[in-house]
Amino acid sequence: MGDTKVPRAAVLRMNRCLRTGSDRLDLSLCSMSTLPERLRELTHLRELNLTSTHLTELPEWLGEFTGLTTLTLWRNRLTRLPESLKNLTALTTLNLNDNDLSEVPESLANLTGLTVLDLGGGNRLTEIPRWVGDLTGLTVLSLNGNPLVTVPESLGNLTALTDLRLIRTQLDEVPRWVENLTGLTELWLGLNRLTEVPEWLGNLTGLKELYLNQNRLTGLPDSLRNLTALTTLNLRSNQLAEIPEWLGDLTALTRLELQGNCPPPAIPESLSRQARTSRLWRRFLEGLDH
């Protein structure tokens, strides 16, 4: 593809990168259905940002960029990925959020250096391959928005995870393998079909942020009182009839969301007192029956 068919902004940015020798290139918002051949002159790149470029396909020669550590393909129109991505073994961050992928190619199993893998957004994955559990260096895994039918137990091998995102994935229960992820500090389970929270979730004592909003919860297990490191607890838009007294003992909380539970649950005195005397944000209790 000649430069005459490439957006001017993209040409200018590539030329600047060639001139300066920079190892970072940002082509975000440069509309093009595929990557220009000119880009092949920049195989020294370590970071390539292709956010919102309207890409519908990726060329096989992208596998020549073997020094890439960060590849951002957020918000494009990709339906498949080239096999050559298996050559990008230096990658630590791969963002495929908000594309149109219905499967994850096995070639990605070769990317064992990944620490961040984002498969969320508008993708259409119904299953996650078992080999994703072999990417044991992952610290962040996002599967948000995929209509998952099955989630393999092998993901329980990802014990380095600190951030797991399963928002709007049609879950009707919290997968038991999550119990193995004792290093988690953020767990996102909002917009699912959960009717209960398992007792074992209280064993994840490193959690600082827990999102259970917009499910079908009617109560909380007493084991959650062990989550004393929690700073954020989102329980919006469930069916909670009451708030347990022990919630007031989670003194690290700075953000508590209870709106949207109908009818509004009664707030225990311990929690009302904490909201008045601690860092807890009062606005998250506004409108509730104290």
Side-chain angles (χ1 to χ4, degrees):
M1 181 184 294
D3 285 348
T4 57
K5 297 182 179 180
V6 180
R8 177 173 172 77
V11 173
L12 291 174
R13 294 177 197 178
M14 286 187 290
N15 285 345
R16 185 184 308 117
C17 195
L18 279 167
R19 185 174 66 254
T20 64
S22 173
D23 61 3
R24 300 179 181 182
L25 178 60
D26 185 351
L27 293 178
S28 58
L29 302 177
C30 294
S31 182
M32 47 191 172
S33 60
T34 190
L35 298 179
E37 285 283 340
R38 167 68 68 88
L39 189 60
R40 296 184 76 173
E41 299 177 44
L42 298 170
T43 54
H44 68 282
L45 289 176
R46 291 177 58 82
E47 297 182 19
L48 179 58
N49 186 348
L50 297 167
T51 298
S52 297
T53 48
H54 299 162
L55 293 173
T56 58
E57 63 178 352
L58 294 174
E60 285 289 336
W61 51 256
L62 188 60
E64 298 170 11
F65 287 67
T66 54
L68 275 182
T69 59
T70 300
L71 178 57
T72 304
L73 291 159
W74 179 39
R75 196 173 290 167
N76 281 289
R77 302 170 182 173
L78 300 173
T79 58
R80 58 175 296 275
L81 300 173
E83 286 294 313
S84 63
L85 288 189
K86 67 183 180 182
N87 299 326
L88 306 185
T89 53
L91 276 183
T92 59
T93 298
L94 178 58
N95 188 328
L96 292 161
N97 187 292
D98 207 1
N99 278 279
D100 197 22
L101 299 172
S102 58
E103 63 179 2
V104 184
E106 192 168 357
S107 58
L108 296 191
N110 208 39
L111 307 183
T112 55
L114 283 178
T115 59
V116 177
L117 178 58
D118 192 338
L119 294 167
N123 289 307
R124 298 180 290 111
L125 303 174
T126 57
E127 61 181 25
I128 303 301
R130 292 184 181 277
W131 54 257
V132 174
D134 296 331
L135 303 178
T136 53
L138 285 178
T139 59
V140 178
L141 176 61
S142 176
L143 302 173
N144 291 345
N146 287 290
L148 298 178
V149 175
T150 58
V151 185
E153 292 186 7
S154 64
L155 296 190
N157 298 330
L158 304 178
T159 54
L161 278 182
T162 59
D163 186 343
L164 176 61
R165 305 193 176 209
L166 293 166
I167 300 171
R168 204 172 66 254
T169 48
Q170 302 188 18
L171 292 178
D172 53 20
E173 63 180 1
V174 184
R176 186 62 191 245
W177 51 261
V178 174
E179 185 178 13
N180 297 337
L181 309 181
T182 55
L184 282 180
T185 58
E186 298 182 33
L187 180 56
W188 302 66
L189 295 167
L191 286 89
N192 281 298
R193 303 169 180 174
L194 304 178
T195 58
E196 63 179 4
V197 177
E199 286 281 349
W200 53 257
L201 198 64
N203 297 331
L204 303 181
T205 54
L207 280 177
K208 295 183 179 180
E209 299 182 28
L210 177 58
Y211 299 85
L212 293 164
N213 52 295
Q214 291 167 271
N215 279 286
R216 302 170 185 176
L217 303 177
T218 57
L220 299 173
D222 285 348
S223 63
L224 295 193
R225 70 193 313 160
N226 298 327
L227 304 183
T228 55
L230 277 184
T231 60
T232 297
L233 178 58
N234 191 332
L235 297 167
R236 292 176 70 109
S237 301
N238 279 285
Q239 300 168 20
L240 298 173
E242 61 180 3
I243 302 301
E245 188 75 28
W246 53 257
L247 197 59
D249 297 332
L250 302 183
T251 55
L253 277 178
T254 57
R255 181 173 184 173
L256 174 63
E257 301 203 26
L258 296 169
Q259 306 95 316
N261 285 279
C262 189
I267 304 301
E269 176 57 27
S270 63
L271 190 57
S272 297
R273 184 167 56 250
Q274 183 186 348
R276 291 192 296 270
T277 61
S278 76
R279 297 173 297 164
L280 188 63
W281 296 357
R282 295 181 188 178
R283 70 187 180 92
F284 292 102
L285 298 176
E286 289 178 1
L288 295 174
D289 180 11
H290 286 50

